Amino acid sequence: MNERNLTLLTDFYQLTMMNGYLKEGRKEEIAVFDVFFRQNGMITYSVACGLEQVVNYILNLNFGEEEINYLRSLNIFEEKFLSYLADFRFTGSVYAVPEGTVVFPGEPIMTVKAPVMQAQLIETAVLNIMNHQTLIASKAAKIRYAAKDDVIMEFGLRRAQAPDAGIYGARAAVIGGCDSTSNVLAGKMFDIPVSGTHAHSWVMNFKDEYTAFQKYAEVYPDNALLLVDTYDTLKSGVPNAIKVFDILKSKGHKPKGIRLDSGDLAYLSKKARQMLDDAGYPDTIICASGDLDEKSIDSLKHQGAKINSWGVGTRLITSSDMPALGGVYKLSAIINEDGKEIPKIKISENVEKITNPGFKNIYRIYDKKTGKAEADCIYLRNHDSIDTEKPLILVHPTERWKKIIFTDYELKSLQIDVIVDGKLVYEMPTLKQIKEYAKKELDTFWDEYKRLDSPHVYKVDLSDELYELKRRMLAEIRNAGENI
């Protein structure tokens, strides 16, 4: 939220490194960092999210008197460093994929090019924001895929890890495919439709279930969606709802439907649908809630459940099966005083943790006939040349004997300029526009890549120049180690 100063939302070692760079006389050295996430066995694709809050954070960075005094009280930093912080502002550049873009492991979804002290400071907050929001948007996209064209309501606020997770999680969930939220503050902040009717406590606060339904319908005659499982869904809840619907109908109102929150949702929804249809209410909604996610919704669909509206909460807002995205922020290059780019690489015994060096961008290859995305390729910005008039050959990033050739294709650069030399150059889209963009993005991918069970692996390759740079740097480091 903008009224808070988030400048100190950082790990302490970012400040100690900044102080070290200042003492080394390297505060003007330009560094390039990439934000990406690694393959962890569970990630198939993700929906990039959080850019708007990241931009607001970066553009509002400032160390006020309160922040400076706190850092001074730690007795760690000299006045020279604190004076530098007092005049701090971000003067670098940010390149990123737009929110709602479908992204894959290893791809730089954001690149920061800035004086090293500035680039170092923002690491923690950038990851905090993008890791969480991308995680929730991605979970919501999978739930949307399972629910198909049904209504999805985000109900997770009470189970979110603190207010901000609930607020920005709701926004991310809408980008991923949810239609509304129960979170009133998120609705106000982001112009999200809000939804919700009543809880079990409403029913329990009246002498009987029928009276509770009747009183609720009197207050909201055109929005009477009644929770029918407080006592006995089929023997009490649905029959009492039908009685109230008859009253509404006689007064010229259209009953909305019922909600199931427990029990065998497939069985209960089928029985309830039949009861409602027999009573003359075939157009009423049957909404389900209660620890739902893409797997349980998909299962209910396959069981023929008569549910057309889903309230998803805990498992969405916490992404319960994968509660952390694992995005990282890694140095990929420095630019010296002469303007020469010096690529950097991180080595690991774990192949997945070896980074891709250099100042990069991602290109997506589309089949011209189908409009479908076929593969991505990571290129070096300042060294790669792309001739779209020639066939495009992509080679697997590690298994180099695997190749694919594209002839009738289109290329799209995924990263856009967001902040250049400290100034915002990108017009932030509305949440509605981001949601529509995310849907179009997801529609460009074949179902084989989005299916919930054993999805096909989408191709993300390295350009020849990037592959050769990485290979050469690895060889040089290995040889240097052997000569020690």
Side-chain angles (χ1 to χ4, degrees):
M1 300 182 202
N2 290 337
E3 66 269 15
R4 295 178 300 172
N5 186 345
L6 298 181
T7 303
L8 290 184
L9 185 65
T10 190
D11 290 310
F12 187 59
Y13 76 171
Q14 312 291 12
L15 293 166
T16 60
M17 284 189 286
M18 289 172 68
N19 187 37
Y21 285 128
L22 184 66
K23 283 180 172 290
E24 288 287 314
R26 296 174 62 182
K27 70 175 184 177
E28 299 303 326
E29 181 179 271
I30 303 299
V32 179
F33 284 85
D34 290 329
V35 176
F36 60 94
F37 57 91
R38 298 188 179 107
Q39 182 70 53
N40 70 357
M42 295 185 68
I43 294 176
T44 51
Y45 67 88
S46 293
V47 177
C49 192
L51 179 61
E52 182 175 301
Q53 192 185 11
V54 164
V55 168
N56 288 336
Y57 155 76
I58 289 174
L59 295 180
N60 286 285
L61 280 170
N62 70 92
F63 290 84
E65 184 177 352
E66 184 178 342
E67 288 74 32
I68 296 295
N69 287 338
Y70 168 71
L71 294 177
R72 181 179 288 115
S73 74
L74 300 178
N75 297 317
I76 296 290
F77 305 113
E78 299 173 358
E79 287 300 318
K80 181 180 179 181
F81 179 61
L82 298 177
S83 295
Y84 165 82
L85 295 182
D87 296 326
F88 184 94
R89 74 178 185 89
F90 185 82
T91 61
S93 299
V94 173
Y95 314 91
V97 302
E99 289 191 276
T101 302
V102 176
V103 290
F104 297 90
E107 297 184 331
I109 60 178
M110 175 181 286
T111 298
V112 176
K113 181 182 177 184
V116 64
M117 294 173 69
Q118 299 177 25
Q120 197 70 69
L121 174 66
I122 68 174
E123 173 184 357
T124 303
V126 167
L127 290 177
N128 173 273
I129 293 167
M130 296 198 73
N131 270 330
H132 175 251
Q133 294 187 40
T134 298
L135 185 71
I136 304 306
S138 306
K139 184 70 170 178
K142 292 175 173 63
I143 291 170
R144 163 53 64 198
Y145 183 78
K148 303 187 186 306
D149 295 327
D150 294 344
V151 171
I152 306 175
M153 301 169 287
E154 184 276 312
F155 279 179
L157 178 58
R158 65 185 62 192
R159 302 288 172 76
Q161 282 98 343
D164 277 9
I167 293 167
Y168 288 98
R171 178 182 180 275
V174 169
I175 289 172
C178 290
D179 299 293
S180 63
T181 181
S182 67
N183 186 331
V184 181
L185 181 55
K188 175 181 178 293
M189 289 175 62
F190 306 122
D191 193 26
I192 302 172
V194 292
S195 56
T197 54
H198 68 83
H200 294 105
S201 59
W202 173 272
V203 177
M204 296 161 64
N205 264 312
F206 290 86
K207 64 178 183 179
D208 55 48
E209 188 176 55
Y210 172 73
T211 303
F213 288 172
Q214 185 182 33
K215 293 300 182 182
Y216 192 85
E218 287 176 1
V219 179
Y220 304 104
D222 296 309
N223 194 35
L225 194 147
L226 305 174
L227 180 59
V228 297
D229 71 337
T230 304
Y231 302 120
D232 189 307
T233 299
L234 299 180
K235 292 181 180 180
S236 172
V238 177
N240 281 326
I242 289 172
K243 290 178 185 177
V244 172
F245 291 168
D246 289 340
I247 296 172
L248 288 173
K249 186 177 180 180
S250 69
K251 295 180 179 181
H253 299 289
K254 185 177 180 180
K256 190 165 186 180
I258 64 169
R259 177 162 72 96
L260 305 170
D261 190 54
S262 61
D264 188 328
L265 296 178
Y267 172 78
L268 293 174
S269 67
K270 293 174 191 177
K271 289 292 186 180
R273 180 76 276 159
Q274 188 62 54
M275 294 167 72
L276 290 165
D277 291 352
D278 291 346
Y281 300 106
D283 296 329
T284 49
I285 293 168
I286 296 183
C287 173
S289 56
D291 290 329
L292 297 171
D293 61 9
E294 71 274 20
K295 295 175 184 176
S296 55
I297 292 173
D298 184 62
S299 175
L300 286 164
K301 287 277 190 183
H302 279 93
Q303 294 174 64
K306 302 299 181 181
I307 299 166
N308 47 22
S309 180
W310 308 86
V312 288
T314 303
R315 294 184 183 180
L316 167 59
I317 205 66
T318 64
S319 187
S320 58
D321 56 346
M322 192 180 75
L325 182 69
V328 294
Y329 183 96
K330 296 298 181 183
L331 181 70
S332 61
I334 59 172
I335 300 172
N336 65 18
E337 295 178 354
D338 299 326
K340 182 182 178 181
E341 179 186 325
I342 304 171
K344 296 291 182 178
I345 189 170
K346 177 187 178 294
I347 304 297
S348 172
E349 302 242 349
N350 186 335
V351 174
E352 286 76 18
K353 289 192 174 185
I354 299 175
T355 61
N356 293 318
F359 185 25
K360 301 174 293 295
N361 191 7
I362 323 161
Y363 282 84
R364 183 154 291 160
I365 298 99
Y366 296 89
D367 185 291
K368 275 189 177 181
K369 293 179 181 178
T370 64
K372 295 291 188 181
E374 295 292 343
D376 288 359
C377 191
I378 305 174
Y379 284 84
L380 291 166
R381 282 179 180 256
N382 299 329
H383 303 283
D384 271 307
S385 59
I386 307 170
D387 187 350
T388 56
E389 298 299 318
K390 296 180 179 179
L392 179 63
I393 302 173
L394 294 188
V395 185
H396 192 280
T398 56
E399 301 166 18
R400 302 301 285 176
W401 63 90
K402 294 182 179 179
K403 297 182 180 181
I404 184 170
I405 301 175
F406 298 98
T407 54
D408 195 18
Y409 65 93
E410 291 181 343
L411 276 182
K412 174 186 175 183
S413 170
L414 295 191
Q415 283 195 352
I416 56 171
D417 295 0
V418 179
I419 297 173
V420 175
D421 297 333
K423 296 180 180 179
L424 182 65
V425 297
Y426 173 58
E427 184 176 349
M428 289 292 173
T430 65
L431 182 59
K432 182 179 179 181
Q433 290 171 328
I434 298 171
K435 178 181 172 67
E436 291 172 351
Y437 169 72
K439 182 181 184 304
K440 290 179 181 177
E441 270 278 287
L442 286 160
D443 285 345
T444 64
F445 287 85
W446 297 101
D447 283 344
E448 287 80 356
Y449 297 117
K450 297 181 288 186
R451 66 191 179 208
L452 302 178
D453 186 29
S454 300
H456 194 53
V457 177
Y458 185 78
K459 298 175 183 64
V460 178
D461 295 333
L462 308 182
S463 72
D464 290 342
E465 288 85 351
L466 176 55
Y467 173 80
E468 286 302 320
L469 172 64
K470 186 174 184 178
R471 184 198 61 76
R472 186 172 67 251
M473 292 183 71
L474 288 170
E476 289 172 353
I477 291 171
R478 183 177 65 248
N479 292 335
E482 292 175 352
N483 293 328
I484 292 175

